[in-house]
Amino acid sequence: MTTAGEIMHAGAQWIPATETLDRAAELMARLNVGALPISDESERLCGILTDRDIVIGCVAKGHDPAKVTAGDMARGTPRWIDAGADVSEVLEEMQSHQIKRLPVIRDKKLVGMISEADLARHLTEDQIAGWAEKVYARS
């Protein structure tokens, strides 16, 4: 059995919900990532911030990224997976919610992220094709 912990990109970092989007963009650039999990004051997942969120949800609407926080952008129920979950559970979670990035949690702590690139490195072509069909399908 292949687990989420085995296919994830280790070393993911939180961004506090109180952090501004300009700082979030700087962190994304420094880490070379397109998404950051958002943590509340108890270091619990409260959302995911993407580079697209910053551009479309803030800049394109004329808002100042130095005044808008990561928490302002957090919407809906954040999805995550336990590090010990089987890869089939990872695929199901991502497919059923049509998400492209999934935080990996162990003992209530962030330990990594699973992205499309991680799936491409660890799954068969058939698994990737099935995943893409469901995640990119228009509902």
Side-chain angles (χ1 to χ4, degrees), residues 12-61:
Q13 289 187 5
W14 296 111
I15 183 114
T18 55
E19 192 62 81
T20 58
L21 298 186
D22 60 337
R23 297 292 197 144
E26 290 170 5
L27 182 58
M28 285 180 185
R30 190 170 69 244
L31 297 174
N32 193 30
V33 298
L36 294 168
I38 305 169
S39 69
D40 65 14
E41 62 281 346
S42 301
E43 288 197 355
R44 296 193 57 122
L45 182 68
C46 65
I48 301 280
L49 178 68
T50 67
D51 47 8
R52 189 176 200 286
D53 293 333
I54 295 170
V55 172
I56 304 297
C58 179
V59 176
K61 292 183 177 178

Side-chain angles (χ1 to χ4, degrees), residues 7-9 34-35 50-51 87 90-91 94-95 98-103 113-124 127-129 131-137:
I7 68 169
M8 72 180 186
H9 177 86
T50 67
D51 47 8
V87 72
V90 171
L91 293 174
M94 294 175 87
Q95 290 167 347
Q98 292 186 303
I99 55 177
K100 299 172 192 124
R101 298 170 181 104
L102 188 62
M113 288 278 281
I114 296 174
S115 68
E116 294 169 278
D118 298 311
L119 296 179
R121 281 192 293 276
H122 294 92
L123 302 180
T124 67
Q127 286 174 308
I128 294 167
W131 175 85
E133 182 179 331
K134 290 180 177 126
V135 168
Y136 287 102

